[in-house]
Each structure stands twice: as structure tokens, then as C-alpha cells.
Amino acid sequence: MASAGLSFGNPVFAAYAAYASLVILKMFFVVFFTTYTRFSRGVFANPEDVKGNKGAVARLDHPDVERVRRLHRNDLENIPAFLAVGLLYVLTGPSPGVALWHFRVFTAARCLHTLSYLAAVQPWRALGFGAGLLTTISMAVQVLMAGTL
Amino acid sequence: MASAGLSFGNPVFAAYAAYASLVILKMFFVVFFTTYTRFSRGVFANPEDVKGNKGAVARLDHPDVERVRRLHRNDLENIPAFLAVGLLYVLTGPSPGVALWHFRVFTAARCLHTLSYLAAVQPWRALGFGAGLLTTISMAVQVLMAGTL
Amino acid sequence: MASAGLSFGNPVFAAYAAYASLVILKMFFVVFFTTYTRFSRGVFANPEDVKGNKGAVARLDHPDVERVRRLHRNDLENIPAFLAVGLLYVLTGPSPGVALWHFRVFTAARCLHTLSYLAAVQPWRALGFGAGLLTTISMAVQVLMAGTL
């Protein structure tokens, strides 16, 4: 019998771990993209960031930077919740096939959300956002039913 | 003997899992409330969100939307910390009664915070915020003492 | 043989738990610092916060408050990711010495980031931010390689 707990011998956990780290690395791509956008536009948030950086200014309202920051904030609203719920969901002992698709849909949905936010295209962004949210809600409901209030 | 680890056979873990998913679902209620507020006020953050939506504008400063966003950000400042610390706290093997009340107070406090932020009433909001924070600090200190630096 | 899982008998887990709670308490220091800055400057985000508080105003743009909020947001972008990845990294069974230094560098880096953000000094802030990010990426890559997509 395969392990049902938090070990890499449990295929559901091994999948969760892989997709969790993948989605965190995706979120860190947004961090690097923010830095890139700030340097290419010469727009920084703090006065100490522009010292010795000719032509750069400290402003909080450049539209390109703010777009990346809104996308990043949406990540913060969704990814930590997925990371926590996903781990608890692994411990409910779900069917590996169903669990794997939860993790895959969430990860793909967040990538779609990121790319369509940067490209400013709807309804793809709303679709990615909604699919990720529904996947997390599905896992949260299953964890709630397995737990005891 | 009951299991002391991360399994639904451990009543402390089963309670943590239930309250963790409950508080995440509460946070997602704020997501839906943001969407509702944006649509009812016709105010969106991105130009691509208002295309084909007659009368809607792309603005970042509608007071009703900003209120929900401040509330949501406060959730982000408190709920992921609770989720992480709570799991580690379960593994310190706390008394079930004491642990249960930590989880219940945190969840009730965050619901009080949410409702009183939306209703713009003080000192209830500060009370909900403070009670949630103190509960998390209490668990964090117990985890710190059980761990080794 | 030492336990390799999530128990305080496993020295890698015991270290993770201690540094995780430490870094969360550090993040909560920022919460208290925000409150202190709001009260000392008499600047609050909501109209209901200034009632009966003579001389206080509801404004969203005080530079001292905004600085603490930017620092706090950077915490939210980095600390929950570390908490999730660190736990999964413990389960990959890393060498205790290597693991311990990951946790220590991350925690020290975030403290450096916090202090240099408040003191408005560069490049220390960028250094603290970068060191924390690289530590988390290192763990995320190791978790990804141990998992199965």
C-alpha cells in the first residue's frame, strides 16, 4: 500500500509538492518582471532607489508598473490559499487522478492569469482567475467535510 | 492512543483543517464581494475590464472598492500566517481543548473584522483584528519554544 | 535513526518550525510598527478610525505610513512562499547543516530587509531582499526535483 501521508512515496503528495513549487516559481517570475519593468521605465517606489540612477524617478503611479503589481497582488490573494488548502487536501486521501487534475488546473489557470494580465486581454484573465479560485474552493470544501468543527 | 500528527484521526488536526478551510472560504467571500462592488459601482482597475461594459470606468480610487481592498489586504497580512503557524502548532501536541479555542477565536475574530470593516464600525474592527493577531502570536511563541534555533 | 518527517524529533523540522515562527513574529513587528506610525503621525486609512481622535485625519498617502506598508507588502510577497516551500523542503530529507543555513539566511535576510527599508538605505535592502528570494528559490527547485509533475 502506498503511503497516504506527507511523503514523496505518496504520489498525491509528490504531485502537490511539484505543482506547489512550480506555482511559487511562477510567482517569483512576477517579482523579476516587476524589477525589469521598474528599470526599463526608470520608475522606482523609494527615493533611495533612484540615487545614482540617472533619469530615474521615484513615483508610485506608472501604469506599466502598477499593472504588474495588481497581477502580483492577485497572486498573493490566491496562491498562499492554494498552498495551505492543497496540503490539507492531500491528507484527506483523495483519488490520485482527481487530485492531480486539481493541481494541474490551478497551476495552468494561474499561468493563464499571469500572461493575460500582462497582455491586457479579457476574458482570458477572468477565466484563469476563476478556474484557479474554483479549484481551491473545491479542495477547501473537501477539507472542511473531512475535518471537525 | 490518538494519533499526534497530521492525520484526520488526530482531533486537533481535524479541527485545524476545518477552521483553516473555513477561514480561507471567508477570505474568498471577500473576493466575491470585491467583484460585486466593482460591478455595482461600475468601477474596474484595468481598461480591458470596461470594454463593452456601458457606463463602466477604469479608476483606482472608488472609496467602496478601496474599503473592500483594504479589508482583503488585512486578511492577507493575517490569514496565511495563521495557516502556517496553526499547522506547526498542531505538531507541538497541544491540549485539544486549548488548541480548539485558538482556532475558534481566530476564525470568529476574522469574521468580526470582515463584517465590521464592511460596516465601518469601530472599535469592533480593531477588536477582531487584535484578537486574531494575539491568537496567532500565542501559537507562534509555543512553536518557537518547541523548535530549536 | 532520527525521524525524517514532520515531528520535533527531526532536527531539520525543529529548526524549520523555530525559524518559521521567528519570521512570522518579525512580520507582526511590522504590523505594530504600522500602528505606531499611524498614531504618531495621526494618519489613518478609514473615516471611522479618526472619530474622537483629535487632530487625526483619514488619508491614504502619508509617506512614512506608505513606506511601512510597502515593506509589509514585500513581506507578504516573500514570507508565505518561504513558509510553504520550507515545509516541503524538510520532507525532501535535506542534509541538516545545509537546511539549517537555508532557514538562517532567509530569516537574517528578511530582518536586514526590514531594517534597511525603515532606514531607507540601499543597497542593504536589495541585498536582504535578494538573499531571501534566492534561498527560497533554492528550496523550491529542490522540492520540484523531488516531486513528480
Side-chain angles (χ1 to χ4, degrees), chain B residues 26-27 29-30 33 67-68 71-72 74-75 107-129, chain C residues 48:
Chain B
K26 184 226 74 61
M27 189 166 72
F29 159 76
V30 180
F33 202 82
R67 174 173 291 273
V68 187
L71 144 58
H72 200 172
N74 193 276
D75 271 358
T107 306
R110 294 309 304 176
C111 291
L112 175 63
H113 178 268
T114 300
L115 295 175
S116 49
Y117 215 135
L118 292 177
V121 289
Q122 286 281 32
W124 303 109
R125 193 186 95 213
L127 200 78
F129 171 65
Chain C
E48 69 267 27

Side-chain angles (χ1 to χ4, degrees), chain A residues 6 67 70 73 76-77 81 84-85 87-88 91-92 117 120 122 125 129 133 136-137 140 143-144 146-149, chain B residues 6 8 13-22 24-25 28 31-32 45-49 69 72-73 76 83 87:
Chain A
L6 301 183
R67 174 172 291 274
R70 283 197 299 277
R73 177 165 161 159
L76 299 180
E77 291 169 1
V85 163
L87 190 80
L88 301 177
L91 290 159
T92 65
Y117 215 135
Q122 285 281 34
R125 193 187 96 213
F129 170 65
L133 191 61
T136 313
I137 290 174
V143 170
L144 183 56
T148 43
L149 287 175
Chain B
L6 301 183
F8 284 92
F13 174 75
Y16 163 75
Y19 286 102
S21 46
L22 211 60
I24 287 172
L25 291 171
F28 287 167
V31 172
F32 288 106
N46 299 286
E48 68 267 27
D49 301 348
R69 279 169 58 81
H72 200 172
R73 177 164 161 160
L76 299 180
L83 295 172
L87 190 79

